[in-house]
């Protein structure tokens, strides 16, 4: 990685602009059989400013959930990004049939991320921390994943929603020498669970969720808009989603005519969940970053031996909230 890799916002020929993602497709040999999840990156239409908008809280754009299942025995998980640390603790849910609290595992993978983007958008759209899920979540999963919402996928999504609902969050921030603050609480304060009548179906899932008032009020002030088509095209990869949301909240805050260097060690701490060696992480990160660049072409950055140099870029969606009126 000694040579700088320029992945900045380069001018494209006029015919390429008209063809949308044609330049990206031309990089793929015609006889190459891509996995269906990766093919979505190229086959879906290019994102544009008129697409539906999802949202993520700016703090959660800077920290990450687990990429993969850490296992039922793992009840706590921690990640760092500069001076901010996230501690995620698995929770419990009250089972309506056994009338006992049961352990719920940690949320992991792309699906809880997708769910939270959707919940944030619904809360902002209705201007209410109480969110009805059944119809809107099913439609959202069908749009973003392109799969049958009545099958295994929706059950997996709802299982991850239960994990997300039950989890507790703690965020630690260093304020200065010898000073730090810890914020603790839940993103989701309450949820209504129901179980399938099918004895073979053990998944619990919420039909309604309620954000904590503290999280909801903070979201109203610090929501980062995300393009739904871009999210759908990255929905196969938790790392890709995390990189996209991080860049969406970070690049437009870099001062114009200046650059910010993020060292490889810092990138590894933030995005390197599951990678024991920084060399292995760097290889995967670079490959994933190229996928993000396809859906966020305005992103300007360079990679070199020292890390990732960020440059001022337009956000993927203009910073605005959905029109909201109280009933």
């Amino acid at each position: 990685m000694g040579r700088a890799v320029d992945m900045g916002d380069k001018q494209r020929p006029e015919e390429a602009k008209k063809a949308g993602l044609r330049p990206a497709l031309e990089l793929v040999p015609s006889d190459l059989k891509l996995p269906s999840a990766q093919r979505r990156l190229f086959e879906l239409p290019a994102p544009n400013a008129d697409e539906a908008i999802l949202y993520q809280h700016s703090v959660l754009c800077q920290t990450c959930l687990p990429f993969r299942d850490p296992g039922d025995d793992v009840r706590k998980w921690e990640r760092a990004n500069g001076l901010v640390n996230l501690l995620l603790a698995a929770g419990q849910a009250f089972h309506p049939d056994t009338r006992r609290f049961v352990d719920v595992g940690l949320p992991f993978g792309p699906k809880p991320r997708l769910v939270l983007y959707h919940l944030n958008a619904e809360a902002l759209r209705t201007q209410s921390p109480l969110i009805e899920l059944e119809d809107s979540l099913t439609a959202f999963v069908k749009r973003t994943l392109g799969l049958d919402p009545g099958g295994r996928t929706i059950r997996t999504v709802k299982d991850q929603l239960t994990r997300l609902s039950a989890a507790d969050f703690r965020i630690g921030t260093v304020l200065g020498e010898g000073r730090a603050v810890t914020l603790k609480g839940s993103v989701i304060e309450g949820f209504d669970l129901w179980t399938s009548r099918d004895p073979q179906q053990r998944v619990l899932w919420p039909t309604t969720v309620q954000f904590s008032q503290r999280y909801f009020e903070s979201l109203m002030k610090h929501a980062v808009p995300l393009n739904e088509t871009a999210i759908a095209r990255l929905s196969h990869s938790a790392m890709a989603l995390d990189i996209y949301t991080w860049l969406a909240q970070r690049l437009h805050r870099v001062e114009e005519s200046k650059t910010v260097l993020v060292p490889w060690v810092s990138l590894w701490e933030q995005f390197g969940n599951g990678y024991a060696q920084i060399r292995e992480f760097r290889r995967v990160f670079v490959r994933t970053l190229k996928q993000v660049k396809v859906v966020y072409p305005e992103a300007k950055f360079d990679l070199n031996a020292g890390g990732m140099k960020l440059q001022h870029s337009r956000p993927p969606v203009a910073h605005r909230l959905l029109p909201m009126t109280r009933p």
Side-chain angles (χ1 to χ4, degrees):
M1 298 297 294
R3 182 174 60 86
V5 181
D6 182 9
M7 297 177 66
D9 189 14
K10 296 182 178 180
Q11 183 70 27
R12 295 181 298 174
E14 189 63 28
E15 62 271 18
K17 292 182 180 179
K18 294 180 180 178
L21 288 181
R22 183 177 177 183
L25 281 170
E26 289 174 349
L27 298 176
V28 183
S30 59
D31 59 345
L32 179 62
K33 300 296 183 181
L34 289 174
S36 59
Q38 294 184 21
R39 184 162 290 276
R40 287 173 58 79
L41 180 67
F42 299 101
E43 291 180 340
L44 288 173
N48 64 71
D50 296 327
E51 297 287 350
I53 301 175
L54 302 174
Y55 294 89
Q56 178 63 304
H57 194 291
S58 61
V59 171
L60 296 179
C61 288
Q62 303 173 58
T63 54
C64 306
L65 301 176
F67 290 160
R68 305 174 187 85
D69 187 357
D72 292 338
D73 294 336
V74 178
R75 305 296 294 169
K76 293 183 179 180
W77 187 88
E78 185 173 357
R79 293 308 293 174
N81 176 16
L83 302 180
V84 177
N85 278 51
L86 170 69
L87 175 63
L88 186 66
Q92 293 80 33
F94 191 72
H95 197 294
D97 294 336
T98 65
R99 298 188 179 183
R100 293 288 187 274
F101 282 98
V102 296
D103 285 342
V104 176
L106 288 166
F108 65 89
K111 293 178 177 62
R113 291 161 165 82
L114 298 172
V115 167
L116 188 54
Y117 306 156
H118 172 69
L119 294 181
N120 290 336
E122 286 294 293
L124 292 172
R125 181 181 65 84
T126 62
Q127 203 175 6
S128 171
L130 181 63
I131 306 159
E132 300 285 344
L133 284 178
E134 193 60 26
D135 293 335
S136 69
L137 181 61
T138 299
F140 171 70
V141 169
K142 188 174 182 179
R143 288 198 312 272
T144 56
L145 298 179
L147 301 173
D148 177 11
R152 178 180 177 182
T153 299
I154 193 64
R155 293 197 299 272
T156 303
V157 169
K158 289 176 176 177
D159 173 55
Q160 290 297 325
L161 171 57
T162 299
R163 292 167 177 253
L164 182 65
S165 299
D168 290 324
F169 290 73
R170 294 196 180 200
I171 296 175
T173 304
V174 176
L175 297 180
E177 186 175 351
R179 295 184 61 209
V181 63
T182 300
L183 301 176
K184 62 180 181 178
S186 299
V187 170
I188 296 173
E189 188 173 71
F191 50 99
D192 178 19
L193 286 180
W194 65 282
T195 54
S196 171
R197 297 300 178 185
D198 182 355
Q200 301 300 317
Q201 174 58 268
R202 299 181 179 180
V203 176
L204 299 172
W205 59 70
T207 54
T208 62
V209 300
Q210 182 164 355
F211 282 151
S212 70
Q213 191 64 30
R214 184 177 187 179
Y215 175 79
F216 176 68
E217 291 176 357
S218 181
L219 179 67
M220 294 280 286
K221 299 176 182 177
H222 303 290
V224 176
L226 311 169
N227 185 285
E228 185 176 298
T229 297
I231 291 296
R233 294 170 69 185
L234 300 175
S235 61
H236 62 284
S237 169
M239 180 185 284
L241 292 172
D242 287 346
I243 294 173
Y244 173 81
T245 56
W246 174 59
L247 293 178
Q249 66 83 33
R250 186 67 184 90
L251 289 180
H252 70 95
R253 296 191 293 107
V254 177
E255 293 186 44
E256 294 190 40
S257 75
K258 293 187 178 181
T259 61
V260 174
L261 176 65
V262 183
W264 282 111
V265 171
S266 298
L267 293 169
W268 185 31
E269 289 179 349
Q270 183 175 354
F271 299 107
N273 172 31
Y275 296 95
Q277 297 183 348
I278 194 169
R279 179 176 297 180
E280 179 189 6
F281 158 74
R282 188 163 62 180
R283 176 177 55 81
V284 176
F285 180 82
V286 171
R287 183 177 67 230
T288 307
L289 189 61
K290 292 178 180 179
Q291 298 177 20
V292 174
K293 178 66 175 177
V294 172
V295 302
Y296 185 9
E298 300 86 0
K300 298 178 183 179
F301 50 81
D302 293 317
L303 299 178
N304 56 38
M308 184 174 179
K309 293 176 66 175
L310 308 181
Q311 304 171 40
H312 178 80
S313 311
R314 290 182 300 170
V317 178
H319 196 89
R320 62 185 177 88
L321 298 181
L322 297 170
M324 295 178 287
T325 58
R326 289 190 181 277

